[in-house]
Amino acid sequence: SSDVCSSDLSYTATALDRFGNEGPTLRLELQPAVDQAPSVQVALVDSSTTPVTRGEPFRVRATATDDVGVDGIRLVAGAPISTVQSASGGVLEATFTVPNSAGAAGSVDFQAIATDTAGQRATNRLSVAWRKVNHAPVAIASVNALETGRLRLTLAGSDPDDDPLTAEILSIGAGV
């Protein structure tokens, strides 16, 4: 039947034979099932790696549960990753990498969306902070003796991350 039942149903039945003799009365009680919306959680697989490092892979897991059954789960990664992963069933684990072209630091938002077999949906969010790796600068120093008896000291350097550099002379030996 297409009728929707929102309360308990009770049926009684008594068997009769062709002579009119009654058998025992049986009672059948039905309780309608109420489908609940699914639940979804999303987290870093290794939470000790936060903030994550730009250019290095990290894993995110979304897990969904439901009283009837989970049909599928999607994991949407916002900028600067901007991708969607999906799976049937209730678990999705995926690897992501913040691109090296992203800024020095920031965060990326993930949204997990679970759908149950009845079409109901649930969402949950996770924000993951990220930063770049700070590489040490490279210093170059050279000293040249000039014909005038003077010394020419040249200081130069470079930084793989293009961070601004400063130079400082910490000490000059005696007699210089």
Side-chain angles (χ1 to χ4, degrees):
S1 163
S2 64
D3 294 336
V4 176
C5 178
S6 60
S7 62
D8 293 352
L9 296 174
S10 179
Y11 294 97
T12 56
T14 304
L16 297 172
D17 67 14
R18 64 182 178 167
F19 303 108
N21 298 318
E22 289 186 16
T25 300
L26 299 176
R27 183 175 181 91
L28 174 65
E29 295 197 22
L30 301 174
Q31 296 177 334
V34 178
D35 182 30
Q36 302 294 318
S39 171
V40 63
Q41 292 75 40
V42 59
L44 280 172
V45 172
D46 182 3
S47 61
S48 66
T49 59
T50 185
V52 299
T53 304
R54 182 184 75 188
E56 297 290 324
F58 62 95
R59 297 187 63 73
V60 175
R61 178 183 297 137
T63 307
T65 57
D66 186 63
D67 59 334
V68 175
V70 175
D71 189 42
I73 192 166
R74 287 188 312 147
L75 190 57
V76 180
I81 296 175
S82 303
T83 189
V84 177
Q85 302 281 333
S86 60
S88 58
V91 178
L92 172 60
E93 189 171 303
T95 301
F96 299 95
T97 303
V98 175
N100 284 324
S101 59
S107 65
V108 58
D109 293 325
F110 292 89
Q111 180 180 27
I113 306 157
T115 306
D116 70 9
T117 54
Q120 296 188 80
R121 293 174 39 164
T123 62
N124 204 342
R125 294 182 182 273
L126 171 70
S127 184
V128 176
W130 56 269
R131 61 174 171 75
K132 72 175 184 170
V133 174
N134 190 17
H135 299 92
V138 177
I140 302 167
S142 64
V143 178
N144 295 322
L146 302 177
E147 290 180 13
T148 61
R150 294 182 158 181
L151 295 176
R152 173 175 284 155
L153 177 62
T154 305
L155 298 176
S158 64
D159 187 80
D161 304 314
D162 293 325
D163 292 332
L165 297 176
T166 59
E168 180 179 347
I169 298 175
L170 299 175
S171 67
I172 296 181
V176 177

